[in-house]
Structures are given as structure tokens and as C-alpha cells.
Amino acid sequence: MEAFTDRWIDSFSSQYETERLGSISWVTTSVSPALQQLVIDGTIPRGARIVDLGCGPGVHATFLAAHGMRVTGVDRSRAALARAASLAAFYEVPVDLVEGDILAMPLPDSCADVGHDSFVYHNVRPESRERYAAEVARLLVPGGLFILVGFSDRMTPGSGPLRLTSDDILGPLLPYFAVEELRRFRNLPTEKRPDQWHWLGLFRRRP
């Protein structure tokens, strides 16, 4: 089963091999304010084992490692992982990087305290969402935290990832996770999307 939408496969998956990072619309020089706050308030504690799902060029993975977390980044793109390795090396922080499919990650059961998804789920085919949720749950210890950030249905219509309703998120996740928080927030503006409305979801793996 292919996880990602045809548009992602056709238009986006090869960009790490062919484009400058600065020209890729979803790559920014900083992590989202929502993730920063989770570190500041201790929701993600120092020393936590984190799997960064679809880590891309490693911006979030490097940030988390720099703040004392034990981070594994997973991505299907070798080119993205190479860039992530360079970024982690620049900041001199340890990040384990693994090439893998988000529907069948080459990681052991219960290997993480936290799963982090920044703009991955909104590219997943609707028919693959429950399988993805089950795979994330497999990686987490009971009570482990799953953090999800993605486009909300309040985003300006147009090209790019799917706009997610609350049902799109909760339906696949509720068999495996309890909801701690699900809210929309305004994220950092970009030239193409100056008013970004995203979801932040915090979910606990059921025992």
C-alpha cells in the first residue's frame, strides 16, 4: 500500500534531490512555535526517545537533539536524510537517521516515548491513515505521546497537501490514542501562504 497521495509522489518526493532547500516551500529555517512551546513547558522532556516521522532535511530532529532528546529521524528519501545528516553534523548533535516507509518503519516495538509528525499526515492517502496510526502506536510505549501538526480545513484553498478536518484526524487515531489536545493555530507565514492555519494534536497511546 502506497502511503502518500499521488500529488506528493509526482510533485514533491524528488525535490530533495533536485532543488535548493531554500526553494522548497515546506522547508523553513526554524521549527514551529507549537513545537518550541512543547519543549519549553516540558511536555517533551529532556532525555525523551523521539521518532521524527518523515524527518525531511532534519530541522526538527536537530532542534530536538540540541535540547537533549534522543532522536531517530525516519524518511523515505535518501537525499533528505543526507541533508539531515549534514545539519546534525553542523550543530554537532547526535541524530540517528533511518531510511524507511512510514507504514512499515524498520524500528522495534515500543522504542519511543514520543512520535513527532510535522506535515506528514496531511500527505497520507485517506485509505492509509489507519495503518499509519497503527504503525505510530506500535513504535510508542503505552502512554507515549504522539504530536501531529498539519494543514487544517481553515487554510486557504489551493494546491498542496490535503486540508484536514478534525474527523480526518480523530477517526483513524482514536482506536489507538486518547486525545489530550486538538486545536488550530496560526503558524509561521510564508510568501505563498501568508496566513497559515494548522492543527496541533497531542495524543496518548492507549495501553
Side-chain angles (χ1 to χ4, degrees):
M1 181 186 295
E2 176 61 63
F4 294 107
T5 59
D6 290 338
R7 178 178 177 81
W8 191 93
I9 294 167
D10 294 341
S11 303
F12 298 111
S13 61
S14 64
Q15 288 197 30
Y16 289 119
E17 299 173 2
T18 60
E19 302 290 339
R20 295 184 305 108
L21 284 182
S23 67
I24 299 176
S25 62
W26 63 86
V27 175
T28 65
T29 58
S30 62
V31 301
S32 77
L35 181 62
Q36 292 183 43
Q37 189 60 47
L38 294 175
V39 173
I40 291 168
D41 64 22
T43 301
I44 306 174
R46 179 174 288 273
R49 299 170 299 163
I50 299 179
V51 175
D52 189 20
L53 304 146
C55 66
V59 173
H60 296 92
T62 299
F63 167 79
L64 292 166
H67 287 276
M69 290 67 169
R70 293 174 287 167
V71 184
T72 298
V74 179
D75 205 282
R76 59 181 284 168
S77 167
R78 290 185 182 180
L81 292 172
R83 295 188 176 200
S86 295
L87 186 63
F90 178 81
Y91 283 99
E92 299 181 331
V93 294
V95 177
D96 292 328
L97 296 167
V98 176
E99 183 180 351
D101 186 332
I102 60 168
L103 298 183
M105 286 175 271
L107 298 171
D109 295 354
S110 302
C111 66
D113 306 302
V114 178
H116 174 250
D117 174 333
S118 181
F119 306 122
V120 174
Y121 185 81
H122 66 194
N123 286 304
V124 173
R125 296 175 187 272
E127 61 268 27
S128 299
R129 289 171 180 164
E130 186 169 351
R131 182 172 170 183
Y132 175 54
E135 180 66 357
V136 175
R138 181 186 69 79
L139 297 181
L140 294 179
V141 298
L145 179 66
F146 178 41
I147 302 163
L148 185 151
V149 177
F151 278 18
S152 83
D153 47 358
R154 200 175 286 177
M155 282 283 292
T156 303
S159 63
L162 300 172
R163 275 60 170 170
L164 300 171
T165 67
S166 58
D167 287 346
D168 292 332
I169 297 170
L170 295 176
L173 292 181
L174 285 180
Y176 308 97
F177 295 92
V179 182
E180 283 203 348
E181 181 179 359
L182 180 63
R183 64 177 175 87
R184 295 181 183 89
F185 72 101
R186 269 199 170 104
N187 210 340
L188 293 167
T190 66
E191 182 178 357
K192 292 184 178 180
R193 297 190 177 96
D195 190 22
Q196 302 226 57
W197 279 99
H198 295 162
W199 287 111
L200 171 66
L202 303 180
F203 306 92
R204 291 285 175 188
R205 185 193 183 282
R206 298 185 188 277

